[in-house]
Structure formats: C-alpha cells, structure tokens
Amino acid sequence: MKICIAVLLFFISTLVNASNFTAVKLPNSKYLTETPSITVALPSSYATNSTKRYPVLYVLDGELNGELVKGMLHRLHLSNGSYEHIIVGITTNNRLRDFAPTVNKDPRGPVGEGGGGDHFLDFMEEELIPKINSDYRTSNFNVLAGHSVAGLLVIHSFQSRPKLFQSHLAFSPAVWWGARETSEATKKYVKSKKTIQNYLYMGIGDEGGEMREVYDSLAQTIMRNRHLDLKLQLDEFDNDSHDFTMAVGLYNALRGLFHYQQQQGI
C-alpha cells in the first residue's frame, strides 16, 4: 500500500508544477572535473511577495527526485504542514565519484570508485550556494537531501561540515560504503561534546545483511548520544525496498523538518 501511494505521489508531482524547474548556468567548477546540472524551482508566492526570503532545499539526484520533493512540499504547504522552499536540484553524471566521500577498497564493491565527496561539498559551499544566494531571495536556512550514495554524502556533510546545512535528510544512506569511514566518523562526532544544532532524518527500507547492520549500529549510536539541540527522526520501512525509501519517507522527513523550523523560529 505504501508503495502504491508513493508511486501515485511521484506521478502527481511530475504533473504539477513541472515547468517551475528551470536550468541554472554555472561556470566550470574549480573543484569538480564535471560541473553538475542544476535546476531551480521557486515557491508559488515568490513572484507576488517580493520581500519574502525562503529556506533552500538542495536535492541530490535532482533530475530523479526534484519533482517528487516539489510536489510533496507544495501539498504540505497547502495544508499548513510546511513552509515554502526554494528547491535546487543537483544532478551529476557520476554519482559514485561525486557523492562517495572515500575511495572504496573493499573487493565486494566497485574497487577504486568514489572519493569525490569533499570536492562536491567544496563545490556546493564555495560555488553553488553563493550563486543561489546571489540570484534568489534566500534565508540563512539550507537543507540537504539525498538517497542511497547521495544519502551517504548527506551523512558525511552532517558530521564533517555541520554548519553548512541546518538540516539533513538521508534516505537509505549507503553507510556500508568502503571501510565504513563515514559511519565511524559520524559516531565519533555525535559522541563528542560539540554543539550539534541540526535536524537529522534517516530512513531505511527492507535492506538486509551488512548494509542494515551498519545502518542500525549508526542509528543506535546517534540515539544514545543525541544532544538536546539535535532533532532526530528515524524511520524503518521493512515492507518497502531500497528504491522506494525516499518516496515513502519524504512525508515524515518534511513534517519533521517543519516542526524543527518552527522550533527555531524560521
């Protein structure tokens, strides 16, 4: 049933406001060998409310997931269940290269792949976000969302650059990647005495074996060491496959984001 609802939402989102996404031209990146494709969707009130500033939701794999996020946010906003956001879709031609923070040396996976995650975050911090802030009326609240290996980059950003994004949405994050460096670094981070003011959403589907073991270990460590200023929401969708976890978890993720933004006075 959840899958049917998720699929229906996907098709609705591709029909509603699809034309609102427009391409953004960026110069060649200093940090990446290949500049990603960037698209932007503006809130419905953007043209009529010329003084309002908006939080920005950066969606990795934007070509695949941007319309889904746009449709869900729009529907929630109509029912006073979400703030309006500027949505930035980011699409790369090589997800493993750009999203995985470390190079994989485990023979069970694609050996030699990955390692560009920090370069990609450099691109976002130094080039993309300043461009969006310059061209659009943005607030100082940024959200990063991603699924699978893109979710791995979300978790890496959460622990390595905690002030770059004020909220992180990770759907089935591939924390099993490589030597589990991102998972271990995140555990160390949440165990530290550092201030963690953020909203973190993580969801998992019916993934099993080592992938689920590593994820569960990370989730449990975050729960045990959660700071009062870290809002955490975890979901388990045991009847839904890896490919659907972003669709089925998006409602909960965005509702949790809204509650966190209300608490922060956004």
Side-chain angles (χ1 to χ4, degrees), residues 46-122:
Y46 192 90
T48 57
N49 192 341
S50 61
T51 62
K52 185 175 181 179
R53 293 187 172 273
Y54 299 85
V56 184
L57 203 166
Y58 292 86
V59 183
L60 300 174
D61 297 316
E63 187 175 281
L64 179 65
N65 299 319
E67 296 289 359
L68 178 65
V69 175
K70 171 69 176 175
M72 180 65 80
L73 265 177
H74 179 68
R75 183 62 185 86
L76 286 172
H77 177 68
L78 292 177
S79 298
N80 298 317
S82 175
Y83 294 124
E84 290 183 297
H85 289 67
I86 295 171
I87 302 173
V88 179
I90 309 170
T91 302
T92 174
N93 288 327
N94 191 325
R95 299 174 73 246
L96 293 181
R97 177 195 65 196
D98 289 337
F99 295 160
T102 59
V103 176
N104 178 54
K105 299 178 182 178
D106 190 328
R108 293 173 296 178
V111 176
E113 294 285 354
D118 279 308
H119 294 303
F120 202 85
L121 291 179
D122 288 338

Side-chain angles (χ1 to χ4, degrees), residues 41-248:
L42 299 176
S44 299
S45 67
Y46 192 90
T48 57
N49 192 341
S50 61
T51 62
K52 185 175 181 179
R53 293 187 172 273
Y54 299 85
V56 184
L57 203 166
Y58 292 86
V59 183
L60 300 174
D61 297 316
E63 187 175 281
L64 179 65
N65 299 319
E67 296 289 359
L68 178 65
V69 175
K70 171 69 176 175
M72 180 65 80
L73 265 177
H74 179 68
R75 183 62 185 86
L76 286 172
H77 177 68
L78 292 177
S79 298
N80 298 317
S82 175
Y83 294 124
E84 290 183 297
H85 289 67
I86 295 171
I87 302 173
V88 179
I90 309 170
T91 302
T92 174
N93 288 327
N94 191 325
R95 299 174 73 246
L96 293 181
R97 177 195 65 196
D98 289 337
F99 295 160
T102 59
V103 176
N104 178 54
K105 299 178 182 178
D106 190 328
R108 293 173 296 178
V111 176
E113 294 285 354
D118 279 308
H119 294 303
F120 202 85
L121 291 179
D122 288 338
F123 156 74
M124 295 191 70
E125 183 171 9
E126 301 296 335
E127 296 176 343
L128 178 58
I129 293 176
K131 171 69 173 176
I132 297 300
N133 289 342
S134 173
D135 289 0
Y136 302 99
R137 298 193 309 273
T138 63
S139 67
N140 294 318
F141 195 99
N142 294 321
V143 185
L144 182 64
H147 172 261
S148 193
V149 69
L152 176 66
L153 183 64
V154 172
I155 299 300
H156 179 64
S157 173
F158 166 74
Q159 62 85 18
S160 67
R161 308 188 192 200
K163 295 183 179 180
L164 182 56
F165 298 96
Q166 287 65 57
S167 292
H168 296 80
L169 316 180
F171 305 89
S172 287
V175 291
W176 53 267
W177 176 264
R180 327 301 183 248
E181 297 96 338
T182 296
S183 177
E184 293 305 312
T186 305
K187 290 180 180 180
K188 182 178 180 180
Y189 172 59
V190 298
K191 290 178 181 178
S192 72
K193 301 299 182 180
K194 297 178 181 178
T195 299
I196 305 175
Q197 187 170 357
N198 219 288
Y199 167 59
L200 174 63
Y201 173 90
M202 293 200 310
I204 193 75
D206 66 358
E207 296 95 335
E210 191 170 6
M211 181 175 181
R212 184 57 182 263
E213 291 173 7
V214 177
Y215 175 90
D216 285 347
S217 177
L218 174 60
Q220 291 164 12
T221 299
I222 297 174
M223 286 184 63
R224 289 195 299 267
N225 297 277
R226 178 171 54 184
H227 295 242
L228 292 177
D229 49 1
L230 170 64
K231 179 174 175 58
L232 174 69
Q233 183 163 342
L234 301 173
D235 271 336
E236 296 181 2
F237 302 103
D238 292 332
N239 295 320
D240 295 300
S241 68
H242 177 80
D243 288 344
F244 285 101
T245 52
M246 184 164 185
V248 298

